[in-house]
Every structure is written in structure tokens, then in C-alpha cells.
Amino acid sequence: MGWRHTDAETPVRRGADGQLYMAVQDVTAMLRDMARAFDLQAQSGEFAWTAEGQATQDRLDVGTMRTVASMLCAQADEMDVQLIAIAGQHPFG
């Protein structure tokens, strides 16, 4: 498996306006990691996990999990396309 982000590797900075910001490559990496997690969960057929790490008896069906994974990847791809377009219009440096 390739590179996988962790929260410790995702720098979040506060801007002069007080807003929190993070690099878009970190956002798209997190979206793709979440998509992989949904896809792996769909393949395994195991129980879903709660935030507390406890197994639940409720499962999402395989089709729903794969649809969520697909939507997360599509969102990451769309963000990449939009940012490439923005970078082309406003070259940095």
C-alpha cells in the first residue's frame, strides 16, 4: 500500500483572519484514505466501528459503502482539477 496520511502529518495553520487552513493535498489525501477505508470495509464484510472503537451490529450494505467511496474519490479528483485550473490562472513565484 502506498503513502497514508496521519493526523500528525496534516499541518493545520491559523490564518491572519483567524480561520484554520490546511494544504489541499492533505485534504484530498484524507478524502482518498477515507474512500479506501470504505472500500476495504465493503470487501471485508466486517462490522462497522463506532468512534469509541466498539463493534456495532449495524452494517452499511456493500453497494452503499462503495458508492460513498466513489463519491469521496470523485470529490478529491474535482478539487485537484479546480486547483490545477486556479494555479494555471495565478502562477506563484
Side-chain angles (χ1 to χ4, degrees):
M1 189 180 243
W3 178 81
R4 185 174 168 85
H5 88 278
T6 66
D7 291 340
E9 296 169 332
T10 305
V12 177
R13 294 187 170 76
R14 188 170 301 277
D17 59 0
Q19 289 286 87
L20 296 175
Y21 294 92
M22 54 191 294
V24 72
Q25 66 266 22
D26 293 328
V27 174
T28 57
M30 284 190 294
L31 289 171
R32 289 186 175 100
D33 279 350
M34 289 179 0
R36 276 192 294 276
F38 272 95
D39 194 47
L40 289 171
Q41 187 74 26
Q43 291 174 29
S44 73
E46 295 176 4
F47 291 112
W49 290 92
T50 66
E52 297 82 30
Q54 303 296 318
T56 68
Q57 297 300 316
D58 298 323
R59 295 186 216 182
L60 292 174
D61 64 274
V62 171
T64 300
M65 294 180 84
R66 289 203 167 126
T67 298
V68 170
S70 175
M71 292 172 70
L72 290 168
C73 282
Q75 183 64 48
D77 292 345
E78 181 61 28
M79 288 177 76
D80 284 341
V81 167
Q82 290 179 13
L83 290 161
I84 289 168
I86 290 169
Q89 295 172 2
H90 305 283
F92 301 100

